Amino acid sequence: MDSFYRDTWTEINLDHIAYNIRSVKKILPGNQHLIAVVKANAYGHGDAQIARVAVEEGADMLAVAFLDEAMALRGKGIMHPTLVLGAVSPLYIKEASHQRIRLTIHNVEWLEEVVQQCSDLQSPLYVHLKVDTGMGRLGIRSLKELEKIALLLRGNSNIILEGVFTHFATADELNNRKYNIQYESFKKMVNHLNTLGFCPAYIHSANSAALLRFPQDMFTAVRLGIAMYGLSPSAEIKQVLPFSLKEAFSLHSRIVHIKKVKKGDTISYGATYEAEREEWIGTVPIGYADGWIRRMQHFHVLVDGKLVPIVGRVCMDQMMIRLPQKYPLGEKVTLIGRQLTREISIDDVANHMQTINYEVPCLISYRVPRLFIQGGCVCNGKNYLLSANLS
Ligand code: PMH
């Protein structure tokens, strides 16, 4: 979004993304390939911009969940090797191979269908084999299935096995029992794949939690998601991270309406909030259709460096806050981020929402423009100075 006309926006600090990637690279024990996970619009941060920074910082590959997301990156000029982690219908292998988009073999049947359709491909189809070692989501689970896959691949020179991977269910928990079982079972599968004559360049198991906690366990590649965005994979392991992460996402708005209400006046749908005395009430143009969900009632925002409460129900496009004094229209409101000495983190918001930090930036909808900050300057947003200057 190059221009926008509303008083609510996010700021995405690309320098923090770069710092997080550099810090991760420093703790990798070898020359592991870096796969930057930019699915779901880069966890709500902006797919193409995050992908660009990741590539500049040395990411060898990008990963997304759906073919549509990979095609969207291509449409925005990002031609870097991209892996689709989720299931893609065999109907679309032509598009994928044409765009050099890597697909995931998530079961034997999928590969059988692809084999039937791949004879007329103009360029080879690169694939990564998913092994289900305990996540229970996608992937083959037995050596027998692995042997079937090997047989199918051997007979088809235009399908190239570039990678093999698995995904951990509990790498973000301090109890390592299940992690160890999954790790050992993946190692066994990879060894068996080698004995069948396949040595793919990308062997990857680690998500952020695993690479931060068990760098000695890395194979030849890692998949970096949440830590790239400066967030801890869980509250449980936040205290044991090897370096401090820098959050990249902040969320801001402005007071568009202000009034003094009398004792007994009520605010918003359901009249759930009643003023106890004369109070200053500000209206902020963000609501649940922006991903600032109704559960945010009773939380707070920052105005003039102070925490002020959200009062009454959050509406679809607006909410109300109680102010300690009159403020001018246009006064900045920070919903996530820092004002003077105070900060509201994504973790704070996630706690109030009773969810995980991953969900918070993903929820902030397409309606909220993303502004990208690099070297202290805004790199997009033509009317930024008019509507959302940094002050
Ligand atoms: N690899 C796969 C297959 C994933 O699904 C994810 C995240 C990652 C890597 C990156 O993990 P990280 O962000 O913890 O580093 N996937 C999800 C998910 O499906 N729900 O929450 C996170």
Side-chain angles (χ1 to χ4, degrees):
M1 199 183 289
D2 271 345
S3 48
F4 60 93
Y5 309 96
R6 67 179 290 195
D7 284 317
T8 298
W9 71 99
T10 65
E11 287 173 22
I12 312 296
N13 190 319
L14 298 180
D15 297 324
H16 287 188
I17 301 281
Y19 160 87
N20 295 326
I21 296 174
R22 266 179 242 147
S23 307
V24 161
K25 284 182 80 174
K26 276 190 207 147
I27 64 159
L28 292 179
N31 247 349
Q32 277 84 3
H33 299 292
L34 183 68
I35 304 174
V37 182
V38 295
K39 58 183 180 160
N41 193 28
Y43 294 32
H45 291 62
D47 57 357
Q49 292 81 358
I50 300 297
R52 263 186 212 113
V53 173
V55 171
E56 276 164 26
E57 293 302 325
D60 302 281
M61 190 171 281
L62 304 166
V64 292
F66 302 116
L67 182 57
D68 306 65
E69 294 178 323
M71 300 292 265
L73 285 172
R74 293 288 182 269
K76 294 171 189 173
I78 309 287
M79 309 316 260
H80 215 56
T82 303
L83 167 67
V84 180
L85 298 162
V88 173
S89 165
L91 291 174
Y92 308 126
I93 57 169
K94 239 184 212 155
E95 285 81 352
S97 76
H98 181 63
Q99 297 280 357
R100 295 281 168 133
I101 293 168
R102 282 79 174 140
L103 299 185
T104 290
I105 305 175
H106 66 287
N107 57 38
V108 177
E109 294 79 357
W110 183 86
L111 187 57
E112 284 169 347
E113 262 193 69
V114 166
V115 161
Q116 282 174 13
Q117 302 194 23
C118 73
S119 53
D120 58 342
L121 288 182
Q122 306 273 323
S123 36
L125 179 69
Y126 287 85
V127 289
H128 290 219
L129 171 63
K130 178 81 183 268
V131 181
D132 181 6
T133 55
M135 175 70 183
R137 197 164 61 175
L138 293 178
I140 60 160
R141 295 164 72 100
S142 66
L143 294 177
K144 211 168 131 199
E145 286 173 298
L146 187 65
E147 282 162 14
K148 281 190 194 160
I149 299 275
L151 201 64
L152 287 163
L153 288 172
R154 240 182 251 127
N156 285 279
S157 57
N158 51 359
I159 306 176
I160 296 171
L161 186 70
E162 183 185 46
V164 55
F165 71 110
T166 195
H167 192 51
F168 293 118
T170 60
D172 62 344
E173 293 176 14
L174 288 174
N175 181 337
N176 302 341
R177 197 188 65 85
K178 187 166 174 92
Y179 168 84
N180 288 328
I181 294 171
Q182 285 197 257
Y183 174 73
E184 289 304 326
S185 131
F186 184 57
K187 226 163 57 175
K188 201 165 131 197
M189 286 293 231
V190 172
N191 286 340
H192 197 63
L193 189 64
N194 292 157
T195 63
L196 294 167
F198 291 90
C199 299
Y202 284 74
I203 303 172
H204 45 115
S205 59
N207 54 3
S208 297
L211 71 88
L212 290 168
R213 298 182 61 215
F214 313 108
Q216 73 284 357
D217 288 355
M218 298 307 96
F219 293 88
T220 66
V222 298
R223 298 188 307 278
L224 173 64
I226 197 78
M228 175 166 63
Y229 305 102
L231 300 171
S232 171
S234 71
E236 208 173 315
I237 65 161
K238 204 171 176 177
Q239 310 312 324
V240 299
L241 297 181
F243 54 87
S244 58
L245 294 161
K246 292 189 180 176
E247 237 173 273
F249 186 101
S250 62
L251 176 62
H252 311 273
S253 189
R254 293 192 183 279
I255 296 173
V256 293
H257 184 68
I258 188 162
K259 60 188 170 281
K260 193 189 264 180
V261 299
K262 297 190 303 292
K263 178 177 180 336
D265 285 352
T266 66
I267 302 294
S268 194
Y269 288 117
T272 60
Y273 179 79
E274 191 175 315
E276 285 176 4
R277 55 188 77 84
E278 272 200 343
E279 289 170 359
W280 286 105
I281 300 290
T283 301
V284 185
I286 183 168
Y288 65 75
D290 299 303
W292 194 254
I293 60 177
R294 277 166 53 112
R295 192 169 286 169
M296 296 319 289
Q297 182 174 2
H298 307 305
F299 194 60
H300 43 256
V301 297
L302 287 166
V303 175
D304 190 22
K306 301 177 187 84
L307 290 174
V308 304
I310 296 168
V311 293
R313 288 197 180 139
V314 173
C315 311
M316 188 185 288
D317 324 292
Q318 296 162 89
M319 66 172 185
M320 275 59 81
I321 55 178
R322 188 181 66 223
L323 297 160
Q325 62 183 77
K326 188 175 185 190
Y327 280 100
L329 294 179
E331 179 73 19
K332 187 170 173 181
V333 177
T334 293
L335 297 91
I336 298 172
R338 174 172 284 277
Q339 273 195 10
L340 303 174
T341 57
R342 286 193 181 269
E343 186 169 11
I344 298 172
S345 68
I346 289 188
D347 284 348
D348 296 334
V349 174
N351 282 340
H352 186 85
M353 283 184 181
Q354 293 180 300
T355 184
I356 53 170
N357 53 16
Y358 290 69
E359 202 172 351
V360 175
C362 285
L363 272 180
I364 301 304
S365 77
Y366 70 94
R367 272 207 328 191
V368 182
R370 269 70 173 164
L371 287 177
F372 298 94
I373 317 286
Q374 204 160 26
C377 299
V378 180
C379 6
N380 68 325
K382 282 182 193 137
N383 57 355
Y384 178 75
L385 287 176
L386 282 178
S387 32
N389 64 60
L390 287 164
S391 64

